C-alpha cells in the first residue's frame, strides 16, 4: 500500500472580515471603538464596586466578577482581529491558537456558571430577605466564585484536549477571526465525529445544569411573588432581578447560537456575525444594562466619573 506524506500544520491563518482595504479600515475603527468602550465601561464598574463601601455586598461581588470576565473575553480575541484588519497579521501559531481557544472557552464556561450563581443569589434575596446576610456570607461567595472558575477551567481543558489532539495536515485557513471550536474542527484531517459527540455531551450537561439552576431560581422567585400577591412586590422583584435576567437572556441567546449545534450546520459568514455579537457586544452591554437598571450602581459610577474628571 502506498503511503502519503502529510505535513503537520504548524500555524493557522484567519480569514479576514473583508479583503477591501477601505472596509478593513472602517471595521478597524468601529471594532476599536467598541473594544475601548467595553474596557472603559467594565473597568469603571470594577472601580465603583471596589471603592464604594455600600456596594460591598454579594450581589455586587458577583457583578464585579462578571465585569472581570467581560474584560477578559474580548481581550482574548479582539486585539488579534484588529491586527489582522490593520496590519494583515492573520497568522497564529498552533500553540497560540491552542492558548486562545483554551482561554476563551474557560471564560465562557466560567461566565455560564457565574450567571447561575447570581440567579441563586437573587433567589435568596427575594425569597429569604431576612436570612440573606447569613446565607450569602462572604465565605460562601468566595467559594462559589472559585468554584465557577475551577469548573470553567476544567471544562476548557477537556474541550481543548479533545480538539487540539486531532491531526491537522491539510488546509490551515480558519473561517473565523479567532480559534473557535467549529472552524478548527473543520480543518482536521482525522475523524471528529466521536469527539464532537463528547464535546456536545459535556457542554450540554454542564450548560444544562447551570441553566436549570437559573430557571429554577426564577421559578421560585415567581412563585414567591404570586404567593405574596402584593403590587409592590412585582416592582421590587423587577428592580432586584431585571438586570440579571436581561443579561442572562442576552448571554444564553448568543452562546446557544454560537456553540450548541453540530458542525454540519456551521456557516462561516453567519457565524462570524453571531460570534461578534457574543464576543464584543455582550461584554459592552452588560455594564450598561446594570448601570441603567440599578440606581446604586448609577450613583456610584457618577461619583467615580466625577472623581476622574477632577483628577484630570
Amino acid at each position: 500500500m502506498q503511503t502519503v506524506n502529510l505535513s503537520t500544520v504548524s500555524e493557522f491563518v484567519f480569514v479576514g472580515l473583508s479583503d477591501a482595504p477601505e472596509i478593513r479600515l472602517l471595521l478597524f475603527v468601529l471594532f476599536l471603538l467598541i473594544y475601548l468602550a467595553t474596557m472603559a465601561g467594565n473597568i469603571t464598574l470594577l472601580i465603583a464596586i471596589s471603592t464604594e463601601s455600600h456596594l460591598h455586598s454579594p450581589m455586587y461581588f458577583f457583578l464585579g466578577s462578571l465585569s472581570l470576565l467581560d474584560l477578559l473575553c474580548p481581550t482574548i480575541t479582539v486585539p488579534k482581529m484588529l491586527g489582522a484588519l490593520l496590519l494583515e497579521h492573520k497568522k497564529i501559531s498552533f500553540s497560540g491558537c491552542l492558548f486562545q481557544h483554551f482561554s476563551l472557552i474557560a471564560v465562557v464556561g466560567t461566565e455560564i456558571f457565574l450567571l447561575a450563581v447570581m440567579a441563586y443569589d437573587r433567589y435568596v434575596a427575594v425569597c429569604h430577605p431576612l436570612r440573606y446576610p447569613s446565607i450569602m456570607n462572604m465565605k460562601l461567595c468566595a467559594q462559589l466564585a472559585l468554584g465557577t472558575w475551577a469548573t470553567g477551567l476544567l471544562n476548557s481543558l477537556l474541550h481543548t484536549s479533545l480538539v487540539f489532539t486531532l491531526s491537522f495536515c491539510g488546509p490551515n485557513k480558519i473561517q473565523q477571526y479567532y480559534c473557535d471550536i467549529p472552524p478548527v474542527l473543520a480543518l482536521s484531517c482525522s475523524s471528529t465525529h466521536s469527539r464532537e459527540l463528547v464535546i456536545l455531551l459535556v457542554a450540554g450537561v454542564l450548560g444544562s445544569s447551570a441553566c436549570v439552576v437559573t430557571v429554577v431560581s426564577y421559578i421560585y422567585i415567581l412563585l414567591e411573588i404570586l404567593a405574596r400577591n402584593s403590587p409592590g412586590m412585582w416592582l421590587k422583584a423587577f428592580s432586584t432581578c431585571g438586570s440579571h435576567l436581561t443579561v442572562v437572556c442576552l448571554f444564553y441567546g448568543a452562546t446557544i447560537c454560537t456553540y450548541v449545534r453540530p458542525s454540519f450546520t456551521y456557516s462561516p459568514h453567519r457565524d462570524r456575525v453571531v460570534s461578534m455579537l457574543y464576543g464584543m457586544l455582550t461584554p459592552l452591554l452588560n455594564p450598561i444594562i446594570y448601570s441603567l437598571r440599578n440606581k446604586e450602581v448609577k450613583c456610584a459610577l457618577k461619583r467615580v466619573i466625577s472623581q476622574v474628571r477632577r483628577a484630570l
Side-chain angles (χ1 to χ4, degrees), residues 172-248:
N172 66 339
K173 291 185 177 181
I174 297 178
Q175 300 290 331
Q176 186 55 280
Y177 66 91
Y178 63 93
C179 293
D180 200 9
I181 294 177
V184 173
L185 282 176
L187 298 180
S188 175
C189 54
S190 56
S191 175
T192 63
H193 181 68
S194 60
R195 302 200 183 197
E196 282 186 60
L197 289 178
V198 175
I199 290 173
L200 286 174
L201 179 63
V202 173
V205 170
L206 294 178
S208 299
S209 301
C211 186
V212 165
V213 172
T214 303
V215 172
V216 170
S217 297
Y218 277 103
I219 289 176
Y220 274 105
I221 290 172
L222 180 60
L223 292 175
E224 180 70 17
I225 295 172
L226 294 175
R228 295 189 185 183
N229 194 24
S230 172
M233 187 65 184
W234 284 98
L235 181 60
K236 181 181 178 181
F238 181 75
S239 63
T240 303
C241 307
S243 299
H244 177 259
L245 193 57
T246 305
V247 169
V248 165

